[in-house]
Amino acid sequence: MRLTPGERDRLLIFTTAELARRRLARGLRLNVPEATALIADTVCEAARDGRRLHEAISAGRAALGPENVLPGVPEVMGDVKVEAVFDDGTRLVVVTDPIGAAAAPGTAPGAIELGPEPLTDWPEAVTVSVTNTSTVPISVTSHFHFFEANPRLRFDRAAAYGMRLAIPAGSTIRFGPGEHKAVDLTPMGGDRVAIGFAGLVDGPLDAPGAKEEALRRAIACGYQHEETTEGDRR
């Protein structure tokens, strides 16, 4: 059986979550990896059951209470983030205050206190025109490699290579059936390695020939692609 990296990650979450459930049944309290996996698995299963985003978040937040985890776990685990498959596409789900006893800002070990304003000046941002050619809505999350987004979205995939949506982390953009809209993209940061997603890259984005090979695979697999000139992009 051949599994994509994303499918292997999902099985790892499920296995750890099952271990957590068995330990809970024996009266044991969970550590950070166990609690995180159980909440993430609850979110993924809620999405699989056809529940909406806010319902999946509520299910994840209700999965555990302070009495179910070891002392100090609520203060150090932070938000639980997991990509879940909903009826209208894959979304990055962020469960804030997952145990229901979050520490005050700046008090938990390793805590990061965010500034008051979200980022609006995205580095090296480009604008691409996107058309949803399907009959159902399609949503794309903030940190999905946009080049590998749903094959029914038609846009200049070469221009979107190595890019993600220029929107705050955890948010999404929704494309209605037949809808045409322009979106801003910004380069993916960090080590610039794309693992999982649709499997068109699965490695370093900037490796020699990686872009050309990924575009060849996309076209061969039927991904909608529409070349544009430099003047058509901002």
Side-chain angles (χ1 to χ4, degrees), residues 78-232:
D79 299 341
V80 174
K81 301 178 181 179
V82 62
E83 285 194 346
V85 181
F86 292 83
D87 290 343
D88 59 352
T90 301
R91 298 187 183 183
L92 175 64
V93 181
V94 182
V95 182
T96 59
D97 193 13
I99 304 298
T107 61
I112 299 175
E113 187 170 354
L114 300 178
E117 298 295 332
L119 179 64
T120 56
D121 185 20
W122 299 96
E124 304 178 52
V126 299
T127 301
V128 296
S129 296
V130 183
T131 301
N132 180 5
T133 65
S134 76
T135 57
V136 297
I138 297 173
S139 295
V140 183
T141 56
S142 58
H143 282 63
F144 195 91
H145 183 205
F146 202 76
F147 171 86
E148 302 182 67
N150 194 295
R152 301 303 295 172
L153 293 178
R154 185 172 67 240
F155 58 92
D156 188 342
R157 294 193 182 259
Y161 183 83
M163 311 285 279
R164 68 173 184 86
L165 287 168
I167 55 178
S171 54
T172 65
I173 288 184
R174 182 180 184 275
F175 302 90
E179 183 178 8
H180 177 83
K181 69 169 65 174
V183 297
D184 291 335
L185 305 178
T186 190
M188 299 180 74
D191 294 334
R192 287 182 57 77
V193 175
I195 299 294
F197 299 113
L200 298 177
V201 182
D202 271 344
L205 288 164
D206 302 320
K211 178 177 180 178
E212 292 75 14
E213 176 61 18
L215 187 59
R216 184 195 67 78
R217 290 181 182 177
I219 295 174
C221 291
Y223 280 70
Q224 297 283 325
H225 171 55
E226 182 178 55
E227 292 187 7
T228 58
T229 63
E230 189 68 27
D232 294 329

Side-chain angles (χ1 to χ4, degrees), residues 32-57:
V32 172
E34 294 163 351
T36 301
L38 193 150
I39 293 170
D41 183 69
T42 300
V43 169
C44 290
E45 289 305 297
R48 186 68 177 83
D49 290 339
R51 299 168 73 177
R52 300 177 68 85
L53 176 61
H54 72 277
E55 295 174 322
I57 292 175

